[in-house]
Amino acid sequence: MKLELMIIFLIATSLFSCKKDDTITTSQTDLIDGETFNQTLLIDGHDYDNLIIQNCTFENIDGDGLQIRDVDNLIIRNCIFKDIDGNAIRFRNSGSSNNISIENNEIHNITHNGILSYETHENTTITDNLIYNVGTDASGSLVGSPHHGIYFQGPNFLIEKNTIYDVINNNGNCISVRSYGTIRSNRLYGATKHGISYYSDHPGLDGLLLVENNFIYDNSSRGSNLQTDGNSVNHIGRAIIRFNTIITANKSCIGVSSGMSDVSVEAYGNILIRMDNGTNYIDSSDPVTQNQNLQSYTDIGFVNFNLRDLHITASSSAIDFAVGLSNYPILDIDGDTRSSDSLDAGADEKN
């Protein structure tokens, strides 16, 4: 037994080590453009505020690709992160950041998380990224620390217009968050657990978690799941799950764990498809405010249900299904405008 505990300890230590000795820094404080890195790059300190990292390749790295600490207004765009034995982008737990933008990057073949951030990093925007084949190392799952496409603990995030799929290790989510913010207009599939997961083991600061306009399908469990660790002090104050298109195999499309009665949860205007013909589409022991969710076990009139083109046709039963709802996203997943007199259910508005 002592030997087993020692093995688990050694695995956990290796998972969470910062690999500080393997990092390099740069003297460039305004722009890093078109460079290739085969070693962890650390951006550390406010001398790097307003730095732009663009058109770079991070590859074949033993450790994280890029680490961030104590820097504000950093932009990371149009970069490739691949074949990395760690996290592609990691916000360090020993520092903080504000207003970081991660946009239009490609992240794949990553042993741990695509993007990992601790709770001291706030106001982060993650948009238009392609993230796939992440969490390829199963050792984290063995000690209760699975890896995810995006794993974010900091508050007031915006995660939008990303495509995330093939999260490999057991219990990995496409997006796993621990605080409040907005998750919208993403395409999320192929995770070994949920498409979107909220877990309350970090400060939620009584904030609003808004989940809208997402295509979420073919994950091993739920499309969107809210769960408490039992400490209500950390809870967010409100969750709104609206105008998403969610397909699950044999689980409820949306789940809310018991013990979250202090969190106001609303689910409306969604398309919820449960392909096993089960009747429990929103699973919760505590009240969830539900309005005009279109529920089915099969194709409700998508462009191509089998190939998962989840845009709706003119004959879809989702057409005008949400008319009467007064609160809705002005734009749909494609940026098309919604109007109250022809309000369709799900992430796509047929114009």
Side-chain angles (χ1 to χ4, degrees), residues 58 61 63-67 81-82 84 86-90 106-108 110-116 134:
F58 297 77
I61 298 175
D64 301 327
L66 174 64
Q67 293 182 359
F81 296 81
K82 64 179 181 179
I84 292 174
N87 307 284
I89 300 174
R90 181 172 182 263
E106 183 173 342
I107 298 172
H108 63 95
I110 308 299
T111 298
H112 292 169
N113 303 280
I115 300 171
L116 168 64
V134 296

Side-chain angles (χ1 to χ4, degrees), residues 159-327:
I159 302 173
E160 67 172 349
K161 300 179 183 178
N162 303 283
T163 297
I164 304 173
Y165 64 94
D166 289 353
V167 182
I168 304 301
N169 66 161
N170 192 34
N171 292 323
N173 307 295
C174 288
I175 299 174
S176 182
V177 298
R178 308 304 170 96
S179 190
Y180 70 89
T182 298
I183 303 172
R184 68 183 177 209
S185 301
N186 302 283
R187 183 184 293 268
L188 310 171
Y189 61 97
T192 52
K193 199 166 187 184
H194 308 302
I196 298 172
S197 173
Y198 162 76
Y199 187 61
S200 69
D201 61 345
H202 292 269
L205 304 172
D206 205 36
L208 167 64
L209 177 62
L210 177 62
V211 177
E212 63 182 16
N213 280 344
N214 300 285
F215 286 155
I216 311 172
Y217 56 92
D218 299 341
N219 299 290
S220 293
S221 192
R222 297 189 171 102
S224 182
N225 192 70
L226 311 178
Q227 186 171 352
T228 180
D229 70 342
N231 183 4
S232 62
V233 173
N234 282 335
H235 285 174
I236 55 174
R238 187 182 183 194
I240 298 176
I241 304 169
R242 65 181 187 180
F243 291 88
N244 301 281
T245 300
I246 300 175
I247 302 173
T248 60
N250 55 12
K251 299 285 187 180
S252 62
C253 297
I254 298 171
V256 183
S257 75
S258 61
M260 297 188 70
S261 59
D262 59 321
V263 179
S264 172
V265 182
E266 305 168 44
Y268 59 85
N270 301 286
I271 296 174
L272 305 177
I273 296 179
R274 180 170 171 168
M275 295 182 64
D276 67 344
N277 209 13
T279 58
N280 187 10
Y281 291 88
I282 300 177
D283 184 55
S284 176
S285 58
D286 296 319
V288 173
T289 301
Q290 305 179 39
N291 286 296
Q292 289 167 259
N293 295 301
L294 176 56
Q295 301 174 349
S296 178
Y297 63 91
T298 189
D299 187 356
I300 51 85
F302 295 113
V303 170
N304 194 321
F305 182 63
N306 291 332
L307 295 180
R308 296 299 191 254
D309 184 343
L310 301 181
H311 295 87
I312 56 175
T313 64
S315 60
S316 173
S317 54
I319 298 292
D320 295 343
F321 187 89
V323 169
L325 292 173
S326 57
N327 295 316

Side-chain angles (χ1 to χ4, degrees), residues 75-120:
I75 298 174
I76 306 156
R77 66 188 180 200
N78 303 328
C79 295
I80 295 173
F81 296 81
K82 64 179 181 179
D83 302 323
I84 292 174
D85 188 19
N87 307 284
I89 300 174
R90 181 172 182 263
F91 293 69
R92 292 275 289 265
N93 61 342
S94 57
S96 63
S97 71
N98 185 48
N99 196 37
I100 306 298
S101 180
I102 302 172
E103 56 192 57
N104 199 37
N105 302 283
E106 183 173 342
I107 298 172
H108 63 95
N109 298 349
I110 308 299
T111 298
H112 292 169
N113 303 280
I115 300 171
L116 168 64
S117 173
Y118 293 92
E119 64 185 46
T120 53

